[in-house]
Short mmCIF file of all heavy atoms in Angstrom, two decimals:
data_model
loop_
_atom_site.label_atom_id
_atom_site.label_comp_id
_atom_site.label_asym_id
_atom_site.label_seq_id
_atom_site.Cartn_x
_atom_site.Cartn_y
_atom_site.Cartn_z
N VAL U 28 -9.81 19.23 -5.23
CA VAL U 28 -9.74 17.79 -5.00
C VAL U 28 -8.25 17.42 -4.93
O VAL U 28 -7.39 18.24 -5.30
CB VAL U 28 -10.45 16.97 -6.13
CG1 VAL U 28 -11.91 17.36 -6.25
CG2 VAL U 28 -9.74 17.15 -7.47
N LYS U 48 -3.36 5.90 -13.75
CA LYS U 48 -4.75 6.34 -13.71
C LYS U 48 -5.62 5.62 -14.73
O LYS U 48 -6.82 5.75 -14.72
CB LYS U 48 -4.83 7.83 -14.02
CG LYS U 48 -5.22 8.72 -12.90
CD LYS U 48 -5.55 10.12 -13.39
CE LYS U 48 -7.01 10.26 -13.79
NZ LYS U 48 -7.79 11.20 -12.99
N ARG U 50 -5.74 6.61 -17.69
CA ARG U 50 -6.36 7.75 -18.36
C ARG U 50 -6.05 7.72 -19.84
O ARG U 50 -4.90 7.48 -20.22
CB ARG U 50 -5.81 9.04 -17.74
CG ARG U 50 -6.39 10.35 -18.27
CD ARG U 50 -5.72 11.48 -17.50
NE ARG U 50 -6.08 12.81 -17.93
CZ ARG U 50 -6.86 13.63 -17.25
NH1 ARG U 50 -7.40 13.23 -16.11
NH2 ARG U 50 -7.09 14.86 -17.66
N ASP U 54 -6.56 12.98 -23.18
CA ASP U 54 -7.13 13.88 -22.17
C ASP U 54 -6.00 14.63 -21.44
O ASP U 54 -5.31 14.07 -20.60
CB ASP U 54 -7.96 13.04 -21.19
CG ASP U 54 -8.85 13.88 -20.29
OD1 ASP U 54 -8.86 15.12 -20.47
OD2 ASP U 54 -9.54 13.30 -19.46
N PRO U 135 -3.65 15.47 -12.69
CA PRO U 135 -5.09 15.28 -12.82
C PRO U 135 -5.64 14.95 -11.44
O PRO U 135 -4.88 14.81 -10.49
CB PRO U 135 -5.18 14.07 -13.75
CG PRO U 135 -3.97 13.25 -13.38
CD PRO U 135 -2.91 14.23 -12.96
N SER U 136 -6.94 14.84 -11.33
CA SER U 136 -7.48 14.39 -10.04
C SER U 136 -6.95 12.97 -9.75
O SER U 136 -6.75 12.18 -10.65
CB SER U 136 -9.01 14.41 -10.06
OG SER U 136 -9.49 13.75 -11.21
N ALA U 137 -6.72 12.69 -8.45
CA ALA U 137 -5.98 11.47 -8.04
C ALA U 137 -6.92 10.28 -7.88
O ALA U 137 -7.02 9.67 -6.82
CB ALA U 137 -5.21 11.73 -6.78
N ASN U 138 -7.63 9.95 -9.00
CA ASN U 138 -8.52 8.80 -8.99
C ASN U 138 -8.31 8.03 -10.28
O ASN U 138 -7.84 8.58 -11.25
CB ASN U 138 -9.97 9.28 -8.90
CG ASN U 138 -10.28 10.35 -9.95
OD1 ASN U 138 -10.03 11.52 -9.75
ND2 ASN U 138 -10.76 9.93 -11.10
N LEU U 139 -8.73 6.75 -10.28
CA LEU U 139 -8.71 6.00 -11.52
C LEU U 139 -9.66 6.69 -12.52
O LEU U 139 -10.66 7.29 -12.11
CB LEU U 139 -9.16 4.57 -11.26
CG LEU U 139 -8.18 3.74 -10.45
CD1 LEU U 139 -8.84 2.44 -9.98
CD2 LEU U 139 -6.94 3.41 -11.31
N PHE U 140 -9.34 6.57 -13.79
CA PHE U 140 -10.11 7.26 -14.82
C PHE U 140 -11.61 6.94 -14.70
O PHE U 140 -11.98 5.76 -14.54
CB PHE U 140 -9.61 6.87 -16.21
CG PHE U 140 -10.34 7.57 -17.30
CD1 PHE U 140 -10.20 8.91 -17.48
CD2 PHE U 140 -11.22 6.86 -18.12
CE1 PHE U 140 -10.88 9.59 -18.47
CE2 PHE U 140 -11.92 7.53 -19.12
CZ PHE U 140 -11.76 8.88 -19.30
N GLY U 141 -12.44 7.95 -14.75
CA GLY U 141 -13.90 7.77 -14.73
C GLY U 141 -14.49 7.64 -13.34
O GLY U 141 -15.71 7.70 -13.18
N GLN U 142 -13.65 7.47 -12.31
CA GLN U 142 -14.14 7.26 -10.95
C GLN U 142 -14.34 8.59 -10.22
O GLN U 142 -14.02 9.65 -10.75
CB GLN U 142 -13.14 6.39 -10.17
CG GLN U 142 -12.91 5.02 -10.77
CD GLN U 142 -13.95 4.02 -10.31
OE1 GLN U 142 -14.30 4.00 -9.15
NE2 GLN U 142 -14.41 3.20 -11.23
N LEU U 143 -14.83 8.48 -8.98
CA LEU U 143 -15.06 9.68 -8.16
C LEU U 143 -13.76 10.41 -7.85
O LEU U 143 -12.75 9.77 -7.56
CB LEU U 143 -15.67 9.27 -6.83
CG LEU U 143 -17.08 8.70 -6.85
CD1 LEU U 143 -17.45 8.22 -5.44
CD2 LEU U 143 -18.08 9.74 -7.34
N SER U 144 -13.81 11.74 -7.86
CA SER U 144 -12.63 12.50 -7.48
C SER U 144 -12.44 12.42 -5.95
O SER U 144 -13.40 12.33 -5.20
CB SER U 144 -12.82 13.97 -7.86
OG SER U 144 -12.93 14.10 -9.26
N PRO U 145 -11.18 12.40 -5.50
CA PRO U 145 -10.88 12.27 -4.07
C PRO U 145 -10.86 13.62 -3.34
O PRO U 145 -10.20 14.55 -3.81
CB PRO U 145 -9.49 11.66 -4.06
CG PRO U 145 -8.89 11.98 -5.38
CD PRO U 145 -9.97 12.37 -6.33
N GLU U 172 -13.94 20.15 -8.71
CA GLU U 172 -12.77 20.55 -9.48
C GLU U 172 -12.86 22.02 -9.90
O GLU U 172 -13.93 22.60 -9.96
CB GLU U 172 -12.61 19.69 -10.74
CG GLU U 172 -12.40 18.22 -10.47
CD GLU U 172 -13.70 17.49 -10.22
OE1 GLU U 172 -14.76 18.13 -10.16
OE2 GLU U 172 -13.65 16.26 -10.06
N ARG U 187 -15.08 24.08 -18.50
CA ARG U 187 -15.65 23.19 -17.45
C ARG U 187 -16.17 24.04 -16.32
O ARG U 187 -15.41 24.82 -15.76
CB ARG U 187 -14.54 22.26 -16.93
CG ARG U 187 -15.06 21.34 -15.80
CD ARG U 187 -14.03 20.32 -15.37
NE ARG U 187 -12.96 20.89 -14.56
CZ ARG U 187 -11.93 20.20 -14.05
NH1 ARG U 187 -11.83 18.91 -14.27
NH2 ARG U 187 -11.01 20.80 -13.33
N HIS U 223 -18.51 10.38 -16.37
CA HIS U 223 -17.29 10.72 -15.63
C HIS U 223 -17.62 10.68 -14.15
O HIS U 223 -18.79 10.64 -13.79
CB HIS U 223 -16.88 12.14 -16.04
CG HIS U 223 -15.41 12.36 -16.03
ND1 HIS U 223 -14.80 13.20 -16.92
CD2 HIS U 223 -14.40 11.89 -15.24
CE1 HIS U 223 -13.50 13.24 -16.70
NE2 HIS U 223 -13.24 12.44 -15.69
N TYR U 224 -16.64 10.76 -13.30
CA TYR U 224 -16.86 10.94 -11.84
C TYR U 224 -17.85 9.94 -11.25
O TYR U 224 -18.67 10.28 -10.43
CB TYR U 224 -17.40 12.35 -11.55
CG TYR U 224 -16.75 13.49 -12.25
CD1 TYR U 224 -17.42 14.15 -13.31
CD2 TYR U 224 -15.50 13.94 -11.89
CE1 TYR U 224 -16.82 15.23 -13.95
CE2 TYR U 224 -14.90 15.02 -12.53
CZ TYR U 224 -15.57 15.64 -13.55
OH TYR U 224 -15.00 16.71 -14.18
MG1 MG A 2 -10.72 14.15 -13.00
#
Side-chain angles (χ1 to χ4, degrees):
V28 301
K48 248 192 88 117
R50 183 179 175 107
D54 194 1
S136 50
N138 50 276
L139 290 167
F140 182 69
Q142 301 273 319
L143 293 174
S144 297
E172 298 82 355
R187 177 175 75 180
H223 212 146
Y224 315 107

